[in-house]
Amino acid sequence: MRIILLGPPGAGKGTVAKKLQKELDIPVISTGVILRKAITKKTELGEKVESIMSEGELVPDFLIMEIIKERIKEKDCEKGYIFDGFPRNIKQANSLERLNKELFMKIDFVFYFEISDAKIIQRLSSRRVCKKCGCNYNLIFNPPKKDNLCDLCGATLYQRDDDKEDIVKNRIKVYNQQTLPLKIFYKEKKLLKVVDASVSENEFFLNIKKIISN
Ligand code: AP5
């Protein structure tokens, strides 16, 4: 099964992607996670994208497509994959269409996460991420057991640079200009499933599971 999680920053794509990965036993391909790892490791890619990401702008399409082309050819993607944060604009979506044709693959579901800007800002200003294992927490909705420490590996939690309020506002603007048109793109392809992302994590996951099993 091949799934696209489409929605604004902070809508809960990464959170639900991890749950779906366990449920369906297919990998999550998060372009954001791949890019942040490249920055941490100070690779050539990381150096190219660091300042772009810290401003909340989109990374150039050719860099993203290079990542995707390599990744979906890996063995663990044979049974399917979950895209989190890709595609991000019409150009990327068209490139994915071409790539899928070449590889005889097709997308089964595109989940569109509907949520208000106020909730996005609340969730992102309270998100914390583990420095070591990347696990996500939320000071309001899913706090760590010990203050500022990861439950899983004990490392310190930090706030992503692009989770500061003014950058979040720019990410929402970029999303509305560049990513939102994908809602119509996938609706026309009859792949779009609109889901209310403002409900609790568990309810949200159950709703998505129901759609998949139907
Ligand atoms: P990326 O990492 O993809 O960020 P994003 O899409 O902006 O999404 P987030 O990771 O911020 O949010 P999310 O929807 O995953 O929410 P989460 O589950 O964490 O991209 C970052 C940057 O990389 C981009 O700005 C761009 O520069 C670059 N980039 C990446 N992909 C690119 C591409 N394809 N093309 C070009 N550039 C690209 O949840 C958020 C918080 O809310 C968490 O604290 C969580 O615990 C909490 N939460 C989640 N669900 C719920 C719930 N139901 N109820 C209450 N709290 C919840």
Side-chain angles (χ1 to χ4, degrees):
M1 183 170 299
R2 297 178 190 89
I3 296 174
I4 292 175
L5 304 180
L6 174 65
K13 302 182 295 296
T15 304
V16 89
K18 279 193 187 140
K19 293 184 185 216
L20 281 174
Q21 176 170 30
K22 270 196 193 152
E23 178 78 20
L24 303 171
D25 194 25
I26 50 176
V28 174
I29 303 178
S30 164
T31 39
V33 169
I34 293 170
L35 295 168
R36 277 187 292 281
K37 272 192 189 149
I39 293 175
T40 309
K41 287 187 179 161
K42 299 191 188 304
T43 64
E44 201 182 316
L45 171 68
E47 276 169 18
K48 282 186 193 152
V49 301
E50 187 167 13
S51 62
I52 304 173
M53 287 175 70
S54 67
E55 294 299 317
E57 297 293 327
L58 292 189
V59 165
D61 297 328
F62 76 94
L63 289 176
I64 297 295
M65 289 316 301
E66 274 174 20
I67 294 172
I68 295 294
K69 273 181 196 159
E70 289 305 309
R71 185 63 186 92
I72 66 170
K73 286 178 191 159
E74 283 177 36
K75 187 138 186 63
D76 65 335
C77 292
E78 272 173 8
K79 275 201 307 179
Y81 47 73
I82 302 157
F83 280 137
D84 163 15
F86 171 84
R88 213 65 168 223
N89 56 30
I90 298 283
K91 209 168 159 200
Q92 290 181 15
N94 279 323
S95 300
L96 176 64
E97 290 280 301
R98 285 193 294 274
L99 185 60
N100 273 341
K101 243 186 215 155
E102 258 173 60
L103 301 172
F104 304 102
M105 289 177 173
K106 67 171 190 52
I107 299 295
D108 300 290
F109 293 102
V110 178
F111 288 104
Y112 176 75
F113 290 46
E114 208 151 52
I115 188 164
S116 69
D117 288 0
K119 282 226 168 182
I120 291 173
I121 292 171
Q122 183 194 37
R123 283 185 188 179
L124 290 184
S125 58
S126 52
R127 172 166 62 186
R128 296 295 179 270
V129 184
C130 174
K131 272 207 163 116
K132 200 169 162 198
C133 71
C135 188
N136 262 283
Y137 294 87
N138 192 285
L139 300 182
I140 303 169
F141 303 103
N142 174 28
K145 291 193 183 92
K146 285 190 194 158
D147 249 10
N148 220 32
L149 295 178
C150 178
D151 294 351
L152 299 181
C153 71
T156 313
L157 306 183
Y158 77 104
Q159 184 177 33
R160 271 169 51 176
D161 283 346
D162 62 351
D163 278 352
K164 310 267 157 62
E165 195 170 328
D166 54 333
I167 306 295
V168 170
K169 284 184 178 154
N170 190 43
R171 286 164 66 197
I172 294 173
K173 194 174 119 204
V174 169
Y175 174 81
N176 287 331
Q177 285 170 348
Q178 303 200 44
T179 312
L180 197 55
L182 291 178
K183 190 178 173 188
I184 295 173
F185 182 93
Y186 285 116
K187 190 173 178 204
E188 284 171 353
K189 294 192 182 299
K190 305 204 183 324
L191 291 174
L192 195 81
K193 303 283 177 197
V194 178
V195 276
D196 177 5
S198 65
V199 297
S200 74
E201 273 184 35
N202 282 342
E203 190 180 343
F204 186 63
F205 181 56
L206 286 178
N207 290 342
I208 290 203
K209 261 189 11 179
K210 242 186 249 164
I211 296 173
I212 291 175
S213 56
N214 281 343

